Amino acid sequence: YFERLNNPTPWTVRTNKNFLNTVRGICDVVLSEGTADGGAMLTFRLDPPVGREDGLRQAIAAALPELLAETGILAAHLCVARREASLIETTERTGRAPLIAPHWILLVEGMSPAVLAAACARHLPDSRLGLRAERGLYALELSLSRPPQG
């Protein structure tokens, strides 16, 4: 992983210029439900207060069956960052804003951004999580089926 980040391909260098406000973290997946990949993703970046991690994990685990029962919601994954490894500066990051690695990231995959936003608003509001989550809503624009040439 670090070998690739410290020796990015020319294609990576070219395409990275098009991405803004990126966040990267090395994580352990601690909870995963669903089996399909969605064309849209809603992310929740969370920093649970010390001592409240178990309660937050239980709240998320309780919400996932309801969320995944919604039409168009395909999968959800709770990831906990390895912060020390996530904050290592690499060649690939040269010239970008300083790294900010959230402690926890909840990824919810669905069929469209609108479906995701509505379902997550019903099942994962800040009041249920017990803290404010920074959200990001994304749609798949490209999936490579073979390595780029050159």
Side-chain angles (χ1 to χ4, degrees):
Y1 178 76
F2 287 114
E3 171 62 28
R4 180 55 38 221
L5 290 177
N6 282 314
N7 295 289
T9 66
W11 183 83
T12 298
V13 172
R14 246 185 0 260
T15 58
N16 273 353
K17 293 175 187 173
N18 298 312
F19 294 98
L20 303 172
N21 303 319
T22 58
V23 176
R24 179 184 71 224
I26 298 172
C27 299
D28 293 309
V29 179
V30 298
L31 183 61
S32 188
E33 298 286 338
T35 57
D37 295 330
M41 180 177 287
L42 191 123
T43 64
F44 295 78
R45 288 175 239 170
L46 307 159
D47 281 306
V50 174
R52 294 200 31 224
E53 297 91 348
D54 288 341
L56 179 57
R57 188 172 305 187
Q58 290 170 6
I60 292 169
L64 292 188
E66 301 163 12
L67 179 63
L68 289 166
E70 294 261 355
T71 300
I73 303 300
L74 305 171
H77 317 281
L78 177 60
C79 307
V80 176
R82 294 184 185 186
R83 292 188 77 117
E84 308 78 35
S86 297
L87 295 174
I88 295 172
E89 287 290 342
T90 62
T91 303
E92 179 266 343
R93 294 252 352 130
T94 302
R96 290 204 207 162
L99 279 168
I100 301 169
H103 190 115
W104 287 19
I105 307 101
L106 176 62
L107 310 170
V108 182
E109 299 184 65
M111 295 175 70
S112 76
V115 166
L116 275 171
C120 288
R122 283 190 294 278
H123 299 288
L124 291 169
D126 287 347
S127 59
R128 184 169 191 173
L129 297 175
L131 73 154
R132 186 181 172 285
E134 182 180 344
R135 290 169 170 78
L137 186 58
Y138 306 91
L140 179 64
E141 293 183 8
L142 171 71
S143 178
L144 289 177
S145 58
R146 62 182 182 275
Q149 303 299 311

